[in-house]
Amino acid sequence: QTWDRHLAGYVLTKEESFTGRLSGSKFAYEYTRGGKPMTALIYYLEADNRTIFSLLFRGPRAGMENLRNQADSIARSFRLKR
């Protein structure tokens, strides 16, 4: 995760296992941008032994609270096309 060390005041607030069509991990961060509180959700989904997808959702903290379920739904539906 190279993007997070450049964000002011970033804090890992939650780390959990994640299961959908692809399994992996979910990380929630809080940080500030321009003095405004922001949230980021990062999903790392393992497709196979050599492939991991990362999905990043970020935005204003108040707005992301309402979109958290939608981000989970998108991550759960993510799959490989064969």
Side-chain angles (χ1 to χ4, degrees):
Q1 301 159 340
T2 58
W3 70 273
D4 58 6
R5 61 186 140 146
H6 302 293
L7 301 173
Y10 84 93
V11 176
L12 175 63
T13 58
K14 196 171 194 181
E15 177 181 344
E16 60 188 70
S17 295
F18 187 82
T19 304
R21 292 182 181 184
L22 302 178
S23 296
S25 297
K26 173 183 168 182
F27 297 85
Y29 289 91
E30 291 183 353
Y31 62 99
T32 59
R33 175 175 267 165
K36 296 182 181 186
M38 306 291 280
T39 297
L41 299 173
I42 305 173
Y43 299 81
Y44 293 103
L45 306 173
E46 186 176 353
D48 58 39
N49 292 339
R50 298 176 2 158
T51 309
I52 296 177
F53 293 97
S54 80
L55 304 174
L56 169 63
F57 300 91
R58 61 183 173 183
R61 190 177 304 160
M64 287 298 291
E65 289 299 322
N66 297 329
L67 298 176
R68 196 172 294 257
N69 289 337
Q70 290 179 13
D72 282 353
S73 178
I74 291 167
R76 278 193 185 92
S77 69
F78 198 78
R79 64 185 169 102
L80 293 178
K81 215 173 186 186
R82 299 192 189 254

